[in-house]
Amino acid sequence: MSTLKEICSGLPLNPLPPNRGRYPNVPHAPIRTPNLTAEEERLALRNALRYFPPSHHATLAPEFAQELRQYGHIYMYRFCPTLRMRAYPIDQYPCHTRQAAAMMLMIMNNLDPAVAQFPQELVTYGGNGQVFSNWAQFRLVMHYLSEMTEEQTLVMYSGHPMGLFPSLPSSPRAIITNGMVIPNYSSRDQYEKMFALGVSMYGQMTAGSYCYIGPQGIVHGTMLTVLNAGRRYLGSDDLRGRVFVTSGLGGMSGAQAKAAVIAGCVSVIAEVDEAPLRKRHEQGWLMEVTSSLDQCIKRIREAKSAKTPLSLGYHGNVVDLWERILLEFERTGELLVDLGSDQTSLHNPYNGGYYPVQLSFHQANQFMSTDPDRFRNVVQESLRRQIKAINKLADAGMHFWDYGNAFLLEAQRAGAEVQKVGGGATEFRYPSYVQHIMGDIFSLGFGPFRWVCTSGDPRDLAVTDNIAATVLEEMSANVPDRVKQQYNDNIHWIREAGKHKMVVGSQARILYSDQKGRVSIALAINQAVADGNVSAPVVISRDHHDVSGTDSPFRETSNVYDGSVFCADMAVQNFVGDAFRGATWVALHNGGGVGWGEVINGGFGLVLDGSDEAAKRARLMLNWDVSNGVARRCWSGNSNAYETIQRTMEENRQLHVTMPFPVLLRCFIYFKCMYSLFSNLYTL
């Protein structure tokens, strides 16, 4: 069994570790189909072998070539550590600075089998959200971090550690970029090829930036989404007896069952893969499991009538579930579902992100690699069937939204009837959850603030929970009503969070907070570390899915209507600004929840070690991290953001934001008349 000291000592070369191949007791990523030419296969092999001295090439070359042919990628299974991957307490990592140890902890949490979707392929979630491209990179990164001083920065190129470079103590300890491909070459097919060559990587959002905290990170946002969907679509935040139907129980989507129950509704979640479904049931996130559609309908009716919260996992295809619910409506006139969505990984539809209804799970896994063209056609046919059933139920009164997973985008590409008459480039028949539910909350400055107690001690987490709740309770007395509602939702959440047993992996917590709340909570936690009330440093971060971290025209910024929706200045500025304002590490990615080429996002990690310097960094960086996005949303015309940034400028006299003037409708009428006049003159 390897140890932390051993996996931080660099690549094990003398002797090479035995090649144990794929472990049979963990789920594995679907086989990739990069369609490399013979010359590209040789290039991929050369790229992998350059991590090792030539004396080992005769041993490693055949097995790397076999991995490439068999799995579509060189993962270097031989170098997968035998040590159990998990977030060990920070004091156990060999290092020269606790900032480096904090990163080690976060990396290993991302690869914990209880957290990661496909741990041996270094995939945290989403089917292809990589932490690294191969195990050599993992070992080199751990080695560099163990050697790092506070005058060095680790530079990461799409999973590859370029090395340690001299820097300042005030500089980030790591700068991470993933998938920074020249825009004209950022297609899905080109990604598969570049990943197979080992030269680029899809880090999703918090996978390749080492900030994932397990599905809890999405439970809270999903709970808020369902709760606010009830307020918007059903006119109430009392969701007892209301039914929510969706799909996906993997990484991100695994949060849906727990979130729906916390929101108080009846939820049915379809999942074709038995492994994640069983995992969520064992973790207590799913209350019940069935493979019977008859049982699904029976339990929906029972729970709906009794108004009791329920999370029911349906082991089967969501298309079958939608069509059965439609059949019940056509037979009886009873509409069994109030709210509907989808969280399959449709950013990755042809390589395990979506399983078509016409094929079994095992057939689909075979077809996607042996006959990818036919598989693509089957997926698109399945999407058309799914939309057909959803459309009919929506016409009957169900409220459906897109969950930012590229569901409607891929359905449109498949020829399904999802177009919005007169809609813009980012609008469909159904709104995204940002457009209708969460976008205005982002524009108030609220987003997913997270922290990880590096001691691994649940008592530290309980202390920080209480700190956060107390801070929000004190602040909520002096905020506008619509802000107060968000504070109250999050106070209730954090006071109840410990009861719901959501910790998977690291001792972590999440809540949604605005700028002032994030700064105040961070400073209070830092003081608790200084006073010894929290026994070890705390890492703060956020999902990139936030106010300013992400430019994503089909998700985070889908409610930006000034024509800048495909511009990515905000995310890049966020990344750069966090770096020089004190973040411990920063990350910039191509790709997130809606897929490669569809989004740019930036993230950070910041270590609170109880020092005055940490407090200064937190105050400066967190204020920027939120205001950047609120200012952009204000300039695009969002009234919530306008009011929020005005209040922020009043509180901070150093902040000066360019504010938009209102543009009167009569200007457009004048322009239209003049255009018509000149057009007529031109015709004459």
Side-chain angles (χ1 to χ4, degrees):
M1 177 69 72
S2 53
T3 63
L4 283 173
K5 183 176 181 181
E6 186 270 325
I7 65 171
C8 291
S9 63
L11 288 170
L13 300 175
N14 297 303
L16 290 173
N19 184 10
R20 296 178 175 85
R22 280 190 168 195
Y23 300 157
N25 59 339
V26 296
H28 291 284
I31 295 170
R32 298 180 179 276
T33 53
N35 297 317
L36 302 182
T37 65
E39 180 55 37
E40 287 168 339
E41 287 182 356
R42 287 191 288 271
L43 179 58
L45 189 58
R46 286 199 299 271
N47 288 346
L49 289 171
R50 59 186 166 177
Y51 285 102
F52 306 95
S55 58
H56 292 298
H57 289 184
T59 300
L60 298 176
E63 67 187 55
F64 287 174
Q66 177 63 23
E67 285 184 18
L68 183 61
R69 286 191 296 268
Q70 189 170 354
Y71 306 121
H73 188 73
I74 300 171
Y75 295 106
M76 304 185 187
Y77 291 116
R78 178 188 287 269
F79 297 95
C80 178
T82 55
L83 177 69
R84 162 68 198 273
M85 287 287 171
R86 68 178 183 89
Y88 291 89
I90 191 169
D91 290 337
Q92 295 185 22
Y93 293 93
C95 64
H96 298 294
T97 167
R98 278 191 156 186
Q99 293 183 338
M103 278 188 279
M104 292 185 198
L105 180 152
M106 299 291 280
I107 288 169
M108 292 191 70
N109 185 67
N110 269 21
L111 293 170
D112 183 340
V115 174
Q117 186 179 14
F118 305 124
Q120 223 185 344
E121 287 74 48
L122 303 111
V123 172
T124 301
Y125 57 79
N128 61 351
Q130 302 286 149
V131 186
F132 301 106
S133 183
N134 58 57
W135 285 105
Q137 293 174 350
F138 165 80
R139 287 182 176 269
L140 287 173
V141 166
M142 295 296 283
H143 178 58
Y144 280 134
L145 290 173
S146 71
E147 290 190 325
M148 174 188 285
T149 71
E150 293 192 358
E151 293 185 336
Q152 291 174 304
T153 293
L154 176 62
V155 176
M156 297 294 302
Y157 279 33
S158 287
H160 169 68
M162 191 59 69
L164 291 173
F165 291 79
S167 61
L168 299 171
S170 59
S171 303
R173 298 280 69 83
I175 303 286
I176 304 161
T177 54
N178 284 306
M180 289 291 105
V181 173
I182 304 300
N184 281 352
Y185 304 92
S186 194
S187 73
R188 186 177 290 148
D189 289 342
Q190 287 164 323
Y191 160 70
E192 289 294 341
K193 186 163 289 193
M194 284 185 279
F195 181 60
L197 291 174
V199 296
S200 196
M201 190 183 85
Y202 185 67
Q204 263 274 2
M205 289 189 165
T206 51
S209 62
Y210 322 144
C211 292
Y212 192 53
I213 61 168
Q216 178 196 175
I218 307 303
V219 169
H220 183 42
T222 306
M223 186 272 290
L224 288 178
T225 300
V226 174
L227 193 63
N228 283 289
R231 289 168 178 158
R232 180 177 183 112
Y233 298 132
L234 307 177
S236 174
D237 54 14
D238 181 358
L239 296 181
R240 290 175 298 175
R242 299 292 197 165
V243 178
F244 173 49
V245 171
T246 182
S247 61
L249 284 167
M252 292 293 191
S253 58
Q256 295 183 106
K258 176 73 79 172
V261 168
I262 295 172
C265 66
V266 177
S267 61
V268 184
I269 308 102
E271 173 58 62
V272 294
D273 186 354
E274 187 179 6
L277 184 139
R278 185 172 60 248
K279 181 177 180 179
R280 299 304 174 209
H281 190 237
E282 290 170 352
Q283 290 173 340
W285 293 52
L286 266 179
M287 295 165 67
E288 299 177 19
V289 171
T290 183
S291 58
S292 166
L293 284 170
D294 289 341
Q295 179 69 4
C296 277
I297 300 302
K298 178 175 179 288
R299 291 297 292 127
I300 288 173
R301 287 195 169 110
E302 290 172 349
K304 189 178 177 74
S305 175
K307 294 189 175 183
T308 55
L310 172 68
S311 56
L312 174 63
Y314 167 58
H315 184 206
N317 197 290
V318 71
V319 181
D320 285 327
L321 179 60
W322 281 122
E323 291 179 341
R324 177 59 185 274
I325 292 170
L326 175 61
L327 181 62
E328 291 296 317
F329 172 70
E330 291 172 339
R331 283 176 177 171
T332 68
E334 182 184 12
L335 184 61
L336 292 172
V337 56
D338 301 283
L339 302 170
S341 192
D342 185 279
Q343 266 207 30
T344 45
S345 298
L346 270 155
H347 69 277
N348 182 34
Y350 307 119
N351 201 38
Y354 180 87
Y355 284 83
V357 67
Q358 306 94 315
L359 302 173
S360 71
F361 178 67
H362 296 293
Q363 286 173 328
N365 280 327
Q366 182 179 6
F367 265 75
M368 68 180 70
S369 60
T370 60
D371 196 347
D373 290 337
R374 183 180 173 191
F375 184 74
R376 180 183 295 260
N377 291 334
V378 173
V379 164
Q380 293 186 335
E381 180 187 339
S382 181
L383 282 168
R384 292 193 294 271
R385 277 179 58 179
Q386 185 170 347
I387 288 295
K388 185 177 180 180
I390 288 169
N391 285 349
K392 289 182 178 180
L393 289 166
D395 289 342
M398 177 190 73
H399 299 278
F400 186 89
W401 70 85
D402 182 283
Y403 226 130
N405 59 334
F407 173 65
L408 292 181
L409 181 62
E410 288 301 329
Q412 182 185 61
R413 289 168 177 168
E417 295 181 8
V418 294
Q419 67 275 11
K420 179 180 179 180
V421 177
T426 62
E427 294 179 287
F428 299 97
R429 173 172 177 165
Y430 305 105
S432 81
Y433 75 120
V434 171
Q435 289 170 317
H436 263 200
I437 303 168
M438 298 300 289
D440 281 346
I441 294 174
F442 286 165
S443 294
L444 290 171
F446 282 83
F449 181 65
R450 300 172 168 180
W451 64 91
V452 175
C453 297
T454 65
S455 65
D457 189 342
R459 290 173 295 185
D460 279 349
L461 184 59
V463 171
T464 58
D465 281 350
N466 187 58
I467 288 171
T470 302
V471 166
L472 295 184
E473 285 165 350
E474 291 172 354
M475 293 179 61
S476 66
N478 301 302
V479 295
D481 286 345
R482 59 178 144 183
V483 175
K484 186 185 290 287
Q485 183 183 68
Q486 300 306 318
Y487 269 88
N488 289 342
D489 285 347
N490 284 280
I491 291 166
H492 176 72
W493 159 267
I494 201 69
R495 287 295 186 197
E496 298 289 316
K499 300 176 184 177
H500 291 289
K501 300 179 181 178
M502 288 177 295
V503 169
V504 177
S506 60
Q507 292 293 318
R509 190 66 77 216
I510 182 173
L511 56 78
Y512 269 49
S513 182
D514 59 358
Q515 179 173 325
K516 194 171 183 179
R518 297 187 209 200
V519 174
S520 299
I521 293 170
L523 294 178
I525 289 176
N526 189 62
Q527 189 61 49
V529 175
D531 295 341
N533 296 325
V534 173
S535 65
V538 172
V539 175
I540 60 171
S541 69
R542 56 160 168 74
D543 196 343
H544 304 196
H545 165 67
D546 195 11
V547 180
S548 70
T550 300
D551 283 297
S552 178
F554 296 101
R555 194 159 97 172
E556 282 81 1
T557 45
S558 60
N559 64 333
V560 169
Y561 300 114
D562 67 349
S564 68
V565 69
F566 295 103
C567 301
D569 301 81
M570 180 177 71
V572 176
Q573 289 283 356
N574 180 264
F575 162 79
V576 176
D578 284 355
F580 66 74
R581 287 179 174 87
T584 306
W585 70 92
V586 289
L588 185 68
H589 297 182
N590 168 13
V594 294
W596 179 270
E598 303 286 358
V599 50
I600 299 293
N601 55 65
F604 76 87
L606 174 61
V607 177
L608 301 176
D609 60 7
S611 65
D612 292 341
E613 175 67 18
K616 179 181 177 182
R617 288 171 179 245
R619 184 181 291 108
L620 190 62
M621 197 216 73
L622 289 173
N623 277 314
W624 153 257
D625 193 67
V626 179
S627 278
N628 169 45
V630 178
R632 189 268 175 105
R633 292 167 190 276
C634 166
W635 185 245
S636 76
N638 187 284
S639 60
N640 277 4
Y642 188 98
E643 294 170 12
T644 300
I645 206 69
Q646 268 196 325
R647 287 198 307 273
T648 308
M649 284 192 289
E650 290 168 4
E651 293 170 359
N652 184 350
R653 294 299 178 182
Q654 287 187 301
L655 179 66
H656 301 276
V657 172
T658 305
M659 304 293 281
F661 287 103
V663 179
L664 301 179
L665 183 61
R666 61 174 174 266
C667 296
F668 290 101
I669 297 172
Y670 173 78
F671 173 79
K672 185 177 180 181
C673 291
M674 294 301 294
Y675 178 80
S676 177
L677 174 64
F678 282 111
S679 295
N680 290 335
L681 287 173
Y682 178 78
T683 303
L684 291 172

